[in-house]
């Protein structure tokens, strides 16, 4: 992936990772995340092209954990233009990313997706990923936090002035 691919990758991601299809708030596709990843992990950000046009991407990073000798390759975002689905684009991106992770001495590769994302789950299983671990996301409404209540009063006062 090069600097010139950024906008095409961003647009494709926006098309693929919509709020409805990607209901969790915890991991969202936005330009800041894409730019930060490209800036710090450009070596493991890949695109697939057909006739000069970006048709897929795989964005990953190598992670090291303190007190753990193992290195991990984490595939953060994988997407393929819908017209190209089932055309082995993702398979080829994953294969290349895996080679890059192995070259950087990663011993385990991690991926994550929403449990309801059947296509991605089927794809990852087909690629040999297993040992799914469930993760629970919790949330708490902060509207009643004293600072938020105060802020609402401040806003009302400002409107009245
Ligand atoms: C998941 C995704 C990346 C797969 O890309 P792809 O290029 O279509 O995948 P491939 O053609 O390499 O698929 C290889 C195998 O994976 C499995 N697979 C892929 N898509 C599937 C689907 N829609 N339904 C069932 N199995 C599927 C199949 O076993 C397939 O082999 P087959 O076609 O011989 O049956 C693509 O569907 C996508 O971009 N989805 C939206 C974004 C997303 O969810 N990303 C993953 C989380 S970050």
């Amino acid at each position: 992936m090069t600097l010139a691919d950024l906008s095409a990758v961003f647009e494709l991601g926006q098309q693929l990772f919509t709020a409805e299809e990607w209901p969790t708030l915890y991991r969202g596709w936005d330009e800041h995340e894409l730019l930060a990843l490209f800036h710090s992990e450009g070596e493991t950000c890949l695109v697939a092209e057909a006739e000069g046009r970006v048709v897929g991407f795989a964005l990953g990073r190598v992670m090291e954990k303190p007190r753990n000798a193992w290195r991990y390759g984490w595939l953060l975002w994988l997407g393929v233009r819908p017209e190209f689905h089932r055309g082995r684009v993702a398979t080829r991106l994953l294969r290349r990313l895996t080679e890059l992770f192995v070259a950087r001495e990663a011993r385990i590769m991690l991926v994550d997706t929403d449990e309801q994302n059947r296509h991605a789950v089927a794809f990852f299983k087909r690629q040999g990923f297993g040992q799914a671990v469930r993760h629970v996301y919790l949330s708490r409404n902060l509207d009643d936090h004293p600072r938020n209540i105060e802020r609402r009063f401040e806003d009302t006062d400002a409107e009245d002035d």
Side-chain angles (χ1 to χ4, degrees):
M1 179 168 159
T2 67
L3 198 60
D5 297 320
L6 276 173
S7 66
V9 169
F10 178 63
E11 274 171 38
L12 178 55
Q14 271 192 313
Q15 190 186 331
L16 296 172
F17 308 123
T18 58
E20 303 86 64
E21 297 208 20
W22 199 266
T24 162
L25 284 172
Y26 299 88
R27 204 143 95 62
W29 177 254
D30 66 60
E31 65 268 40
H32 301 291
E33 170 148 352
L34 174 60
L35 286 174
L37 199 59
F38 179 67
H39 182 249
S40 60
E41 317 286 336
E43 204 185 316
T44 43
C45 290
L46 306 176
V47 290
E49 285 182 344
E51 293 169 3
R53 180 166 165 247
V54 170
V55 296
F57 56 81
L59 313 178
R61 57 182 287 226
V62 173
M63 284 196 310
E64 275 171 82
K65 296 272 185 189
R67 293 182 297 281
N68 186 336
W70 288 43
R71 262 190 189 183
Y72 298 81
W74 187 7
L75 169 60
L76 289 152
W77 297 99
L78 174 70
V80 172
R81 204 170 277 290
E83 315 87 273
F84 287 81
H85 280 180
R86 306 299 280 265
R88 294 282 182 276
V89 174
T91 301
R92 292 167 67 186
L93 283 165
L94 189 79
R95 191 181 305 145
R96 183 73 193 113
L97 190 62
T98 308
E99 286 168 4
L100 291 169
F101 284 154
V102 172
R104 292 192 38 201
E105 298 179 31
R107 292 184 61 193
I108 293 197
M109 191 159 166
L110 306 173
V111 298
D112 73 305
T113 191
D114 193 283
E115 199 174 18
Q116 307 298 324
N117 189 348
R118 289 180 302 102
H119 300 172
V121 172
F123 171 78
F124 289 130
K125 284 195 173 153
R126 169 81 187 260
Q127 302 299 326
F129 287 84
Q131 300 186 320
V133 176
R134 277 175 204 273
H135 189 92
V136 178
Y137 290 107
L138 305 172
S139 63
R140 177 182 158 204
N141 191 318
L142 295 177
D143 276 354
D144 292 334
H145 186 280
R147 183 64 195 111
N148 274 334
I149 294 173
E150 245 171 57
R151 193 177 291 132
R152 279 201 294 278
F153 274 114
E154 284 163 11
D155 290 348
T156 322
D157 286 348
E159 275 168 28
D160 291 345
D161 287 345

